[in-house]
Amino acid sequence: MAYQSLGDTSLEYYPCRYGASKILFRGPQRTLEGDYIAVLGGSETYGKFVQYPYPDLMEGLLGKPVINFGCMNAGVDVFSHEQTLLDACNHASLTVFQIPGALNLSNRFYAVHPRRNDRFLRASNLLKTIYREVDFTEFNFTRHMLKTLQDLSEEKFAMVEMELKEAWVGRMKSLVARVESPMVLLWLSERSIADPGPDGILGADPVLVDEDMVNEVRPFVQDVVEVVVSPDDIQMGRQELVYPEMDKAAANAMLGAVAHDLAADALVNSLRS
């Protein structure tokens, strides 16, 4: 395994757009014609700091185009609101969707930016009533806001958690129903689907998603591929990441290059079987 030397270096992502979408995806831009696989997902799918993300590795193993529609910090909403992406998935022979967390989606309690789903826009009157002591104008990101609410009151936060989980299941079912090609869900995490995680509510990604939620969506997809990345694989994979020193903290939040090797192998095995 060849390790990348860290320092003042960074990857060229060749950002590009498809159709009328305003989202910048990782390039180079590909043609959406012929037989191809579409891959939806968040930061790991985009392959931040990763020279060869798992969609690229899948393409090499399968010998057919695999188009990377990964979007940084994406929740379900970013894909639900982009007709260009839905059209691309409908014309694909298969769609792979990296399971997103449940915190970055609009719901009865708060709204997120339609394309940058990790950006908190506003709280509903209902949430303001529940948390009268909170000034929601102080928050720019969903994770910061939710962590603050959780720390203030576990009892109140239980209502928020239930709403987010219900919204996630409903949004996922709606998205799957709108995609005409067969869909495979990818669970890519440092924890298993059955493991809620030692850090509880805001622990390992996909945040707030549990086994019951995945099982509610499972009957409507072709397969759920589970890839659990061990601490040793994460540590080894982070040595292969390419980033400038100023991005070291962000790079240490990623699963690393080995996770992409594991994801590509698992997905290809699922498709071939």
Side-chain angles (χ1 to χ4, degrees):
M1 185 175 294
Y3 295 108
Q4 300 288 340
S5 60
L6 306 183
D8 293 331
T9 183
S10 59
L11 289 176
E12 173 56 69
Y13 298 103
Y14 302 100
C16 64
R17 290 187 172 92
Y18 290 95
S21 176
K22 295 182 179 179
I23 300 173
L24 282 174
F25 298 101
R26 181 167 181 160
Q29 189 173 35
R30 311 289 296 278
T31 179
L32 302 181
E33 297 178 355
D35 184 17
Y36 64 86
I37 294 173
V39 182
L40 310 178
S43 301
E44 291 292 347
T45 298
Y46 184 91
K48 187 70 171 178
F49 310 126
V50 180
Q51 189 167 8
Y52 300 109
Y54 73 86
D56 290 356
L57 300 176
M58 287 178 63
E59 180 168 310
L61 293 170
L62 293 170
K64 66 184 296 184
V66 179
I67 314 300
N68 188 340
F69 292 116
C71 180
M72 292 297 297
N73 302 307
V76 188
D77 284 2
V78 82
F79 305 111
S80 300
H81 294 155
E82 290 289 330
Q83 189 58 48
T84 297
L85 292 187
L86 294 174
D87 290 342
C89 292
N90 289 339
H91 288 103
S93 59
L94 179 86
T95 297
V96 175
F97 187 13
Q98 178 202 347
I99 296 175
L103 72 167
N104 293 337
L105 52 79
S106 293
N107 56 85
R108 289 190 306 148
F109 288 131
Y110 62 86
V112 301
H113 192 283
R115 293 186 300 277
R116 306 175 74 176
N117 291 167
D118 61 325
R119 300 298 178 94
F120 170 77
L121 292 184
R122 58 187 174 276
S124 69
N125 290 331
L126 178 59
L127 187 60
K128 292 177 181 177
T129 300
I130 295 173
Y131 284 93
R132 295 181 182 275
E133 70 274 34
V134 176
D135 179 6
F136 287 95
T137 62
E138 296 180 354
F139 302 114
N140 294 315
F141 296 94
T142 56
R143 189 181 291 266
H144 177 207
M145 185 266 294
L146 289 172
K147 185 64 170 65
T148 300
L149 299 187
Q150 181 185 7
D151 290 344
L152 283 173
S153 171
E154 290 282 357
E155 183 178 0
K156 291 180 181 179
F157 190 79
M159 293 185 286
V160 179
E161 179 184 5
M162 182 178 297
E163 166 63 17
L164 290 175
K165 290 185 173 185
E166 291 178 354
W168 184 93
V169 170
R171 212 71 51 82
M172 285 289 289
K173 287 182 177 179
S174 175
L175 178 63
V176 171
R178 296 172 66 189
V179 174
E180 298 172 4
S181 62
M183 181 178 287
V184 172
L185 298 182
L186 170 64
W187 176 279
L188 182 59
S189 178
E190 57 193 276
R191 65 180 174 92
S192 69
I193 295 176
D195 180 10
D199 296 323
I201 292 168
L202 296 181
D205 288 325
V207 174
L208 289 170
V209 178
D210 58 34
E211 186 174 20
D212 290 339
M213 296 162 67
V214 174
N215 286 340
E216 287 204 49
V217 183
R218 191 186 294 267
F220 306 101
V221 299
Q222 177 172 292
D223 194 11
V224 177
V225 175
E226 182 176 6
V227 177
V228 180
V229 191
S230 71
D232 287 344
D233 285 338
I234 292 174
Q235 182 178 9
M236 183 180 299
R238 284 176 180 164
Q239 295 181 58
E240 286 193 85
L241 299 181
V242 181
Y243 56 89
E245 189 62 29
M246 62 181 294
D247 286 336
K248 184 174 183 178
N252 285 336
M254 308 302 290
L255 292 177
V258 173
H260 289 259
D261 293 335
L262 298 174
D265 288 342
L267 286 165
V268 168
N269 288 337
S270 171
L271 302 187
R272 286 176 173 169
S273 64

